[in-house]
């Protein structure tokens, strides 16, 4: 189908001349418009593509005549309009057939939600379908906890359209990452996109585990020994508890940025120091903080240098002394107490 934007000023002049003077041969048109016959033929060909010009049917086939825009539109656009109209009618019938099943689906889903307070889904494909379905039904809020540093690019590519669609519907999105995610280029791009759409993203040194909660009603949790599975939790009190844990972590977290702040650097060092004092191995510390083993060992080396420690054992001992000296003295009314 021709693009009417291609109709140039010369074509418009030629069409106007034919409307005013009636059918004319190329030579007469060229003379009237002050154009070379070559240019006149080119303008005529342009009008023919738009169905606005035709040969005069007097038998000579030497003269051009103007065609009504109504006729041109019917010839040029009409067939495509008819195809689109038929396609739309087909789509509407399909939508009507599917919509007729919505009441049945809603009732079945409600019964399933009531009876399946805790459900273990072992198929990754089914987990993704359930998340997509719950996201489509979400109307108010999504709480997300993503430990382990930066997210894999494939995960973010799948999550971004879903999250932007929810944000576009007015759903609130609150996401917690670990501080180490700040240096992930893919995570930075994702956070920039969702933040521009209204999401809030913060980071914390350590997180309590992966979690996804929709509308404070349905939570998705990992299965510890099966990375492809998920626990779907719908029991109201349990979901409410998870939301309160999230709220506590959220209040301690820092807004996401593409680098460490003084606060996040201090939190990271304190966390490493605490794990080191507990005698944790480098691999465990790195995994808990969502960083590479090499980066973790660099942080540990910097901390040992700061303490003047020559070994991990000595560093742990010095950290324990530092913690003890920082504790409130006996008799302090503000000293922390433990339950009997």
């Amino acid at each position: 189908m021709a693009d009417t934007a291609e109709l140039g000023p010369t074509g418009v002049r030629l069409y106007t001349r034919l409307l005013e003077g009636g059918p004319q041969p190329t030579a007469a048109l060229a003379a009237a418009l002050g154009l070379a016959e070559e240019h006149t033929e080119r303008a005529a060909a342009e009008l023919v593509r738009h169905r606005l010009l035709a040969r005069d049917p007097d038998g000579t086939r030497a003269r051009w005549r103007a065609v009504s825009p109504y006729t041109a539109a019917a010839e040029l656009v009409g067939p495509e309009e008819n195809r689109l109209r038929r396609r739309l009618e087909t789509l509407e019938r399909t939508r009507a057939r599917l919509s007729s099943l919505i009441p049945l689906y809603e009732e079945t889903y409600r019964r399933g939600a009531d009876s399946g307070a805790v459900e273990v889904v072992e198929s990754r494909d089914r987990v993704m379908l359930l998340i997509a379905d719950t996201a489509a039904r979400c109307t108010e809020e999504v709480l997300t906890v993503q430990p382990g540093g930066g997210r894999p690019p494939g995960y973010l590519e799948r999550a971004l359209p879903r999250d932007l669609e929810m944000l576009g519907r007015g759903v609130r999105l609150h996401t917690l990452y670990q501080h180490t995610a700040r240096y992930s280029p893919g995570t930075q791009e994702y956070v920039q996109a969702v933040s521009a759409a209204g999401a809030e993203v913060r980071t914390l040194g350590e997180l309590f585990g992966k979690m996804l909660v929709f509308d404070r009603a349905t939570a998705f949790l990992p299965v510890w020994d099966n990375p492809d599975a998920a626990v779907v939790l719908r029991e109201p009190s349990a979901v409410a508890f998870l939301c309160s844990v999230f709220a506590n972590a959220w209040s301690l977290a820092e807004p996401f940025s593409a680098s460490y702040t003084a606060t996040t650097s201090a939190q990271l060092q304190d966390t490493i120091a605490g794990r080191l004092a507990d005698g944790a191995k480098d691999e465990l510390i790195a995994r808990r903080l969502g960083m590479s083993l090499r980066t973790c060992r660099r942080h540990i080396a910097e901390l040992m240098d700061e303490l003047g420690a020559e070994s991990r054992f000595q560093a742990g001992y010095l950290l324990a002394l530092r913690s003890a000296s920082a504790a409130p003295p006996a008799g302090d009314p503000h000293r922390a107490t433990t339950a009997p």
Side-chain angles (χ1 to χ4, degrees):
M1 188 172 67
D3 184 355
T4 54
E6 297 174 359
L7 192 58
T10 303
V12 174
R13 289 177 59 205
L14 193 153
Y15 185 71
T16 303
R17 179 66 185 176
L18 287 171
L19 288 176
E20 295 174 345
Q24 300 176 50
T26 301
L29 286 170
L33 297 174
L35 298 173
E37 289 193 21
E38 177 185 356
H39 293 161
T40 304
E41 288 285 354
R42 189 177 302 125
E46 182 181 61
L47 290 168
V48 169
R49 286 198 303 274
H50 289 78
R51 308 296 194 271
L52 290 168
L53 204 64
R55 293 289 186 179
D56 187 31
D58 63 355
T60 64
R61 300 186 63 80
R63 298 191 304 173
W64 294 107
R65 64 177 178 86
V67 177
S68 163
Y70 298 108
T71 303
E75 183 179 351
L76 197 61
V77 180
E80 186 67 20
E81 281 184 334
N82 291 333
R83 282 192 292 271
L84 287 174
R85 190 176 296 109
R86 289 193 297 271
R87 179 60 177 159
L88 285 172
E89 290 172 354
T90 300
L91 292 174
E92 285 300 324
R93 287 194 298 270
T94 301
R95 182 185 297 277
R97 285 196 299 270
L98 295 176
S99 297
S100 67
L101 297 175
I102 289 178
L104 174 63
Y105 176 86
E106 296 282 354
E107 177 62 21
T108 304
Y109 185 91
R110 186 190 63 77
R111 290 200 306 268
D114 292 341
S115 62
V118 180
E119 178 185 4
V120 178
V121 182
E122 297 184 351
S123 164
R124 180 175 180 81
D125 289 340
R126 177 153 174 74
V127 170
M128 299 308 295
L129 283 174
L130 282 173
I131 290 176
D133 178 71
T134 311
R137 301 162 62 84
C138 183
T139 59
E140 296 182 7
E141 180 185 59
V142 180
L143 307 178
T144 307
V145 183
Q146 297 289 357
R151 309 306 300 151
Y155 173 90
L156 294 174
E157 289 173 4
R158 291 191 300 271
L160 182 58
R162 178 196 71 203
D163 295 345
L164 289 177
E165 192 276 334
M166 287 192 293
L167 288 164
R169 290 190 280 111
V171 175
R172 298 185 302 277
L173 175 61
H174 291 168
T175 299
L176 277 173
Y177 286 110
Q178 289 185 262
H179 291 327
T180 47
R182 292 170 177 242
Y183 285 104
S184 164
T187 305
Q188 290 173 8
E189 292 178 6
Y190 165 83
V191 172
Q192 184 178 12
V194 296
S195 297
E200 293 187 55
V201 183
R202 297 184 183 182
T203 66
L204 201 59
E206 281 190 277
L207 292 174
F208 51 87
K210 190 173 183 180
M211 185 178 79
L212 187 59
V213 182
F214 294 94
D215 283 342
R216 297 179 177 260
T218 305
F220 290 82
L221 304 174
V223 175
W224 71 274
D225 61 347
N226 185 352
D228 293 330
V231 175
V232 185
L233 187 63
R234 302 184 181 94
E235 202 286 317
S237 297
V239 176
F241 173 78
L242 291 175
C243 292
S244 68
V245 173
F246 180 94
N248 182 63
W250 183 261
S251 67
L252 300 173
E254 291 287 314
F256 188 99
S257 67
S259 62
Y260 286 167
T261 63
T263 301
T264 54
S265 294
Q267 286 182 357
L268 190 64
Q269 187 181 51
D270 288 346
T271 303
I272 293 175
R275 294 297 173 189
L276 199 60
D278 291 340
K281 295 184 179 296
D282 295 355
E283 292 80 4
L284 176 60
I285 298 174
R287 186 165 61 252
R288 291 293 298 268
L289 297 180
M291 62 176 60
S292 68
L293 183 60
R294 179 179 179 181
T295 300
C296 179
R297 285 174 172 164
R298 176 172 57 80
H299 283 293
I300 292 174
E302 291 173 355
L303 183 59
M304 290 176 63
D305 184 63
E306 177 189 334
L307 293 168
E310 297 180 359
S311 67
R312 290 174 57 90
F313 176 80
Q314 187 180 21
Y317 175 75
L318 292 173
L319 286 168
L321 287 179
R322 188 169 73 176
S323 298
S325 65
D332 188 331
H334 299 292
R335 181 168 57 92
T337 59
T338 58

